[in-house]
Amino acid sequence: MKKILSLILGIVLFLTSVGLVFAYGDGNYRKGKYLFRKNCRACHTEAGQAKELSPLSKTMAEWEQAFKPETAAGYPCKDEWAKLSESDLNDIYTYLYKHAADSATPAKCK
């Protein structure tokens, strides 16, 4: 009985994890582009305080890693991230991921 219960619990946790991964990235990339330009672009330009950044700066896998909470917690702009809602962060992620250097629709300009 314990084995069956453990197996069922394991399957439920696995499916929940997979569902969360697929849900993240389902944001509005157009809104994400606007939010990126509004909230991130001021610092992430050639003349800005932070490293220049655009969708082409990273591959899809690198953007996925960049938006993991444990990675983002180490960014100097983590306080700015905290001001954004989960939905807004998801929209920004979707924009950057969808137009990454190795995506099917890479950004046309930086």
Side-chain angles (χ1 to χ4, degrees):
M1 186 66 169
K2 286 184 180 182
K3 287 182 181 181
I4 293 173
L5 188 58
S6 296
L7 180 63
I8 291 171
L9 181 61
I11 291 171
V12 168
L13 289 174
F14 173 75
L15 292 175
T16 302
S17 299
V18 169
L20 289 174
V21 167
F22 285 117
Y24 205 68
D26 245 0
N28 181 336
Y29 75 91
R30 289 182 182 187
K31 183 179 174 194
K33 181 177 182 178
Y34 167 78
L35 291 169
F36 176 77
R37 289 183 174 179
K38 178 182 173 200
N39 296 294
C40 308
R41 201 66 163 153
C43 294
H44 289 285
T45 61
E46 191 174 319
Q49 301 168 347
K51 180 181 174 185
E52 187 174 358
L53 202 58
S54 78
L56 295 172
S57 301
K58 298 181 184 296
T59 64
M60 295 165 77
E62 289 171 330
W63 281 122
E64 191 174 328
Q65 179 64 37
F67 274 77
K68 287 186 176 179
E70 60 272 11
T71 305
Y75 294 150
C77 58
K78 65 182 174 234
D79 293 336
E80 298 301 318
W81 276 47
K83 294 176 185 175
L84 296 169
S85 70
E86 283 294 320
S87 176
D88 287 348
L89 285 172
N90 189 28
D91 291 338
I92 293 170
Y93 167 78
T94 301
Y95 163 64
L96 295 170
Y97 184 86
K98 181 179 173 100
H99 298 294
D102 64 341
S103 71
T105 56
K108 294 180 181 161
C109 59
K110 291 183 179 184

